[in-house]
Amino acid sequence: MAESLLLVTASVDKMVIKKPIVVDSDLKIAGAVTWVGRSSLEIQLEVLQSTEESSDPQDSQALIANFTFVARDSKTGKSATINQITPETEKEKLLWKEADERNRLRKERRLQQKKEIDNEKEAERLNALLAEGRVFIDMPALADRDSILIQDTCTQNSLVCMPQQRNTHGRIFGGFLMRRAFELAFATAYAFGGSAPLFLEVDHVDFLKPVDVGNFLRFKSCVLFTELENPEKPLINIEVVAHVTRPELRTAEVSNKFYFTFTTMSGAANTKIRSVVPATEEEARRVIERIDAEKC
């Protein structure tokens, strides 16, 4: 059974940096299976870096990441049944309960994403977002100089996936895709903010389509919206979309969407952050979806 079983990364939950990670101290990474369904499982990883100031284990916790994998039969490609586990200690039962709740919320989120914005209240939100963007398009001389169109914050890059980036199943590592997306998001935030940004978190990541060796991959990044309520800690929300592009077939399919949040370094010069506004209805919908996701 093990020989015919493939484990595919389905998603990665939101990851938040709980404390700064220094480069001159060792890191410890611990992982365990915390939840198992019929053909999927969740693995929780802890990134720990001890501090001399405190002996409390919680103070050494820098990051928690939850990875969801799904099992597939390598011959048929269909879902495969996997072994079950039974939580025994109170901590294991708590982790199981939390993971089960995350799984339920993921299913609800997928259903919610399929619903179109069709009620009057959501239409008002769309129009409010688009109002300023229409000024930029139709009357640029009258546009607010403290704002900028989403399309004017975009950056992108491309690469051909190489064999050294593949996993044991011959597909490109999800971690490699996340790293390349992060690097582009960092550059986008850097160019937008005018100073080196400080990474805060990456939101839930779904792996929509596998990426193979030899694929032509394009990453497109933009500042989706900013949060300026706290002038000392403005938030820059970056969207990165990865496309598997096949020029010979004239096709491009989305493999992943990544959402990163950055802020500016305290005390950094030239850190006036501008508001970002959509110019199209499609952009406005993406902004609304992300704002609602952040609230959840």
Side-chain angles (χ1 to χ4, degrees), residues 99-162:
D100 197 43
E101 179 67 11
R102 281 191 295 271
N103 185 60
R104 184 186 66 79
L105 290 174
R106 276 193 293 269
K107 292 179 179 178
E108 289 183 358
R109 183 164 56 241
R110 284 195 292 268
L111 291 174
Q112 188 66 30
Q113 288 173 346
K114 293 179 181 178
K115 296 180 181 178
E116 295 185 358
I117 300 175
D118 56 2
N119 59 56
E120 185 176 341
K121 184 177 180 181
E122 296 300 337
E124 290 177 0
R125 293 176 69 190
L126 275 175
N127 289 328
L129 278 174
L130 287 169
E132 190 173 351
R134 292 190 184 104
V135 176
F136 272 90
I137 300 298
D138 299 329
M139 298 166 284
L142 302 179
D144 184 356
R145 295 301 99 187
D146 289 330
S147 299
I148 187 173
L149 290 175
I150 288 176
Q151 65 192 35
D152 293 332
T153 70
C154 294
T155 56
Q156 59 179 302
N157 61 24
S158 305
L159 68 138
V160 176
C161 298
M162 297 297 177

Side-chain angles (χ1 to χ4, degrees), residues 33-288:
V33 177
T34 54
W35 177 88
V36 176
R38 190 190 70 83
S39 61
S40 61
L41 68 154
E42 183 173 292
I43 295 175
Q44 185 173 96
L45 297 177
E46 281 186 298
V47 179
L48 307 170
Q49 189 170 62
S50 59
T51 58
E52 297 180 357
E53 293 79 11
S54 173
S55 59
D56 188 346
Q58 289 297 320
D59 292 336
S60 65
Q61 192 179 79
L63 178 71
I64 291 181
N66 296 298
F67 290 75
T68 301
F69 291 82
V70 293
R72 293 286 183 266
D73 187 292
S74 61
K75 298 177 181 177
T76 65
K78 296 181 179 180
S79 62
T81 303
I82 56 178
N83 294 330
Q84 299 296 301
I85 62 172
T86 302
E88 296 177 333
T89 68
E90 288 302 316
K91 181 179 180 181
E92 289 173 350
K93 291 177 181 178
L94 177 61
L95 290 173
W96 180 284
K97 182 179 179 181
E98 292 174 347
D100 197 43
E101 179 67 11
R102 281 191 295 271
N103 185 60
R104 184 186 66 79
L105 290 174
R106 276 193 293 269
K107 292 179 179 178
E108 289 183 358
R109 183 164 56 241
R110 284 195 292 268
L111 291 174
Q112 188 66 30
Q113 288 173 346
K114 293 179 181 178
K115 296 180 181 178
E116 295 185 358
I117 300 175
D118 56 2
N119 59 56
E120 185 176 341
K121 184 177 180 181
E122 296 300 337
E124 290 177 0
R125 293 176 69 190
L126 275 175
N127 289 328
L129 278 174
L130 287 169
E132 190 173 351
R134 292 190 184 104
V135 176
F136 272 90
I137 300 298
D138 299 329
M139 298 166 284
L142 302 179
D144 184 356
R145 295 301 99 187
D146 289 330
S147 299
I148 187 173
L149 290 175
I150 288 176
Q151 65 192 35
D152 293 332
T153 70
C154 294
T155 56
Q156 59 179 302
N157 61 24
S158 305
L159 68 138
V160 176
C161 298
M162 297 297 177
Q164 62 265 34
Q165 296 146 6
R166 65 186 173 185
N167 58 25
T168 55
H169 304 310
R171 293 276 170 68
I172 300 301
F173 269 116
F176 171 77
L177 302 176
M178 292 181 69
R179 174 188 167 185
R180 293 303 298 259
F182 172 81
E183 290 172 350
L184 183 60
F186 184 92
T188 303
Y190 201 164
F192 175 77
S195 62
L198 180 65
F199 170 69
L200 296 180
E201 66 181 47
V202 56
D203 202 1
H204 180 92
V205 178
D206 285 316
F207 291 85
L208 306 175
K209 181 178 178 57
V211 181
D212 294 316
V213 173
N215 277 167
F216 175 30
L217 200 61
R218 299 183 65 193
F219 289 91
K220 298 180 180 181
S221 174
C222 69
V223 180
L224 204 54
F225 65 97
T226 56
E227 299 174 65
L228 309 177
E229 289 79 7
N230 182 0
E232 298 298 319
K233 193 177 181 181
L235 301 182
I236 305 170
N237 294 271
I238 306 288
E239 177 190 65
V240 181
V241 182
H243 294 84
V244 175
T245 306
R246 292 185 173 85
E248 66 278 7
L249 300 177
R250 311 296 196 271
T251 63
E253 297 177 287
V254 174
S255 67
N256 300 89
K257 290 184 179 180
F258 305 90
Y259 298 96
F260 301 92
T261 302
F262 295 87
T263 187
T264 54
M265 298 284 190
S266 58
N270 303 321
T271 57
K272 179 176 174 58
I273 303 300
R274 300 163 77 178
S275 297
V276 181
V277 295
T280 66
E281 184 173 318
E282 186 269 337
E283 288 179 345
R285 288 180 184 274
R286 282 157 52 199
V287 173
I288 288 176

